[in-house]
């Protein structure tokens, strides 16, 4: 039986973790006051996301609800959990500020290490108040490229896993060799709208404002990788059909179904109709038929017939986008001023404010605005953010422009969750080789109160 994950995590820690904005600091040197811009912190409003998108049909609502229930449930060993995994359910990773979000204030991976009799130790890079993380090794022992996920935990000692003995990876040794990089969960609010953005719109947006982009060092040619032809550029394209991939930190996944199938297998060890092979085939550690999760051809209803990955995909596809705050933090005037500065400084050249979806068979997703603040392209972010891993056509220093909608209620930032401070996350965009250097220089030259307006705008999203 699946057990429902706790989706209403304690808010006690979150209250203590909130930052406050617009601090006036005494300046003894000048005998007056100076103002330093600060991250306003996680917006404390009710969750501005997590519900279904408007306009769904009654049947589509049933598919959404079924997907949400599965997304928020925990898997068990007899259902195929493991043998190696990072957690036992989607909802543990994607829960801030609501189901479908990202890392919560309290990291569930710490408790999971010993859940149901588990004997795993908590790796040093996982902490109770830090982000949920997956670990990837940059190189194999022979020096060739690895880049794959090395699961943190095993089913050894857990209920239903008698006779299975597996060791965790030697993370201490890999850390000492500087061979480990981290990824945190990406929020999936509004993902169905993102999926419906036409490739032509992405390409047209990339071709726009070329004089400004070139002046700031922002590159802009699409990179189609299709059999028989290669055009150099910066998008990450699906190697099978040449269309633009758009999900994941490096835009490595083309669709929500593929995103679901990969995560089910890689993060939880659940094989499925897209990823049918166990990542660890140790015979003594197999306690469910393979693939573990498939279509139920004997089901009484279409909703019940779907396998887990189709349920997850429908949940994400029908999730509403985040709703921004009109006046928090800092007030409506500060937010409006910050939005104007966000554009004039050049942030919006990569963090494109909006697209429009194509005509869709799902009316709720057809010809709709997508206010995601991303161009969905991959950009060279320099050696400061480089992780040494290539995925698809995205190289070791390249990452997808992270959508900013919902940022106001996120706790951790950047691909590895290295900071919970928005102002630091902005500064981290600048390093040797980064396409963002010109824009960050402009941001750094703003007056402190103007910087505060930008921070308030971002936290309003």
């Amino acid at each position: 039986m699946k057990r429902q994950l706790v989706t209403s995590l304690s808010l006690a820690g979150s209250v203590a973790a909130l930052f406050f904005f617009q601090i006036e600091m005494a300046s003894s040197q000048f005998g007056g006051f100076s103002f330093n811009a600060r991250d306003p912190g996680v917006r404390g409003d009710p969750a501005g996301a997590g519900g279904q998108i408007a306009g769904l049909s009654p049947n589509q609502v049933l598919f959404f609800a079924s997907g949400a229930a599965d997304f928020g449930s925990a898997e068990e060993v007899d259902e195929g959990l493991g043998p190696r995994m990072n957690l036992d359910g989607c909802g543990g990773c994607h829960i801030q500020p609501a189901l479908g979000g990202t890392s919560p204030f309290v990291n569930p991976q710490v408790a999971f290490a010993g859940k149901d009799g588990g004997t795993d130790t908590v790796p040093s890079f996982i902490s109770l108040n830090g982000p949920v993380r997956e670990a990837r090794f940059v190189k194999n022992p022979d020096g060739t490229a690895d880049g794959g996920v090395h699961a943190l935990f095993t089913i050894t000692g857990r209920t239903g896993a008698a006779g299975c003995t597996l060791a965790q990876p030697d993370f201490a040794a890999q850390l000492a060799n500087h061979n480990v990089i981290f990824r945190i969960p990406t929020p999936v609010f509004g993902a169905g709208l993102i999926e419906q953005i036409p490739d032509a719109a992405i390409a047209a947006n990339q071709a726009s404002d070329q004089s400004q982009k070139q002046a700031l060092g922002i590159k802009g040619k699409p990179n189609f990788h299709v059999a028989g032809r290669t055009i150099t550029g910066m998008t990450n394209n699906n190697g099978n059909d040449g269309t633009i991939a758009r999900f994941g930190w490096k835009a490595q996944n083309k669709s929500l179904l593929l995103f679901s199938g990969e995560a089910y297998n890689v993060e939880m060890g659940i094989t499925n109709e897209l990823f049918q092979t166990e990542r660890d085939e140790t015979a003594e550690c197999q306690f469910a038929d393979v693939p573990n999760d498939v279509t139920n051809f004997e089901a009484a209803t279409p909703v019940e017939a779907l396998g887990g990955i189709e349920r997850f995909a429908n949940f994400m596809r029908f999730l509403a986008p985040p709703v921004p705050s009109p006046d928090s933090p800092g007030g409506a005037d500060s937010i409006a001023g910050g939005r104007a500065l966000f554009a004039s400084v050049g942030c919006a050249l990569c963090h494109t404010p909006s697209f429009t979806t194509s005509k869709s068979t799902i009316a709720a997703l057809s010809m709709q605005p997508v206010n995601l603040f991303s161009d969905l392209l991959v950009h060279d972010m320099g050696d400061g953010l480089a992780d040494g891993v290539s995925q698809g056509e995205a190289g070791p220093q390249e990452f997808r422009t992270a959508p900013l909608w919902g940022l106001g209620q996120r706790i951790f930032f950047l691909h590895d969750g290295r900071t919970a401070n928005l102002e630091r996350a902005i500064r981290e965009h600048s390093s040797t080789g980064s396409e963002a250097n010109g824009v960050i220089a402009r941001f750094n030259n703003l007056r402190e109160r103007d910087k505060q307006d930008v921070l308030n705008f971002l936290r309003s999203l």
Side-chain angles (χ1 to χ4, degrees), residues 19-383:
F19 296 98
F20 293 93
F21 69 102
Q22 294 188 344
I23 292 179
E24 295 287 339
M25 300 179 65
S27 172
S28 58
Q29 180 178 0
F30 299 105
F33 291 93
S34 63
F35 177 83
N36 289 343
R38 290 176 65 96
D39 177 10
V42 181
R43 209 173 67 239
D45 313 346
Q52 67 196 42
I53 196 167
L56 294 179
S57 70
N59 281 340
Q60 289 166 349
V61 170
L62 294 177
F63 280 96
F64 172 81
S66 173
D70 219 9
F71 197 91
S73 296
E75 307 287 346
E76 298 187 1
V77 170
D78 63 358
E79 295 172 314
L81 179 68
R84 299 181 182 275
M85 62 280 179
N86 289 321
L87 205 60
D88 58 353
C90 306
C93 298
H94 297 273
I95 193 59
Q96 169 62 28
L99 194 66
T102 184
S103 292
F105 284 100
V106 178
N107 186 346
Q109 291 176 304
V110 174
F112 180 69
K115 184 178 179 179
D116 292 336
T119 58
D120 296 319
T121 59
V122 179
S124 62
F125 49 83
I126 298 296
S127 63
L128 188 64
N129 301 121
V132 171
R133 279 173 163 164
E134 67 172 24
R136 293 173 181 261
F137 292 174
V138 180
K139 300 287 187 182
N140 290 307
D142 64 0
T144 57
D146 182 345
V149 175
H150 290 254
L152 308 188
F153 307 114
T154 75
I155 58 173
T156 298
R158 299 177 192 266
T159 302
C164 175
T165 303
L166 294 172
Q168 293 170 270
D170 188 350
F171 290 115
Q174 297 297 329
L175 287 166
N177 290 333
H178 306 288
N179 196 40
V180 186
I181 61 97
F182 310 114
R183 300 274 177 86
I184 66 172
T186 56
V188 296
F189 302 130
L193 294 170
I194 295 175
E195 193 173 42
Q196 292 294 319
I197 296 171
D199 279 14
I202 297 172
N205 176 66
Q206 191 166 23
S208 67
D209 301 313
Q210 278 300 302
S211 61
Q212 296 180 59
K213 291 175 181 177
Q214 290 172 7
L216 290 167
I218 298 171
K219 300 175 183 178
K221 292 183 179 178
N223 188 350
F224 292 94
H225 189 87
V226 185
R229 64 188 179 96
T230 299
I231 304 173
T232 59
M234 296 303 297
T235 61
N236 200 5
N237 289 71
N238 181 17
N240 294 312
D241 64 3
T243 55
I244 297 174
R246 58 197 68 188
F247 297 108
W249 283 106
K250 297 209 174 201
Q252 68 268 23
N253 285 320
K254 167 60 185 174
S255 68
L256 292 174
L257 185 60
L258 183 61
F259 184 71
S260 298
E262 179 186 300
Y264 214 15
N265 188 20
V266 172
E267 307 298 343
M268 287 172 273
I270 305 287
T271 52
N272 52 76
E273 288 170 319
L274 285 184
F275 293 81
Q276 300 207 8
T277 305
E278 292 285 348
R279 300 184 77 225
D280 186 323
E281 295 184 305
T282 302
E284 296 78 17
C285 300
Q286 308 301 320
F287 299 97
D289 293 336
V290 176
N292 307 142
D293 187 90
V294 295
T295 302
N296 179 4
F297 293 105
E298 309 305 320
T301 68
V303 172
E304 295 170 329
L306 294 185
I309 60 173
E310 288 87 358
R311 293 172 189 253
F312 300 152
N314 284 332
F315 167 67
M316 293 187 288
R317 188 168 291 125
F318 294 155
L319 259 179
V323 178
S325 170
D327 53 16
S328 176
D333 289 345
S334 175
I335 290 170
R339 180 169 186 143
L341 287 165
F342 181 85
S344 64
V345 162
C347 304
L349 292 173
C350 294
H351 290 281
T352 304
S354 186
F355 284 96
T356 300
T357 63
S358 60
K359 291 183 178 180
S360 171
T361 54
I362 299 170
L365 301 176
S366 186
M367 304 302 293
Q368 296 297 314
V370 193
N371 303 319
L372 74 169
F373 289 91
S374 171
D375 58 9
L376 298 175
L377 307 175
V378 292
H379 294 272
D380 189 334
M381 298 309 298
D383 58 9

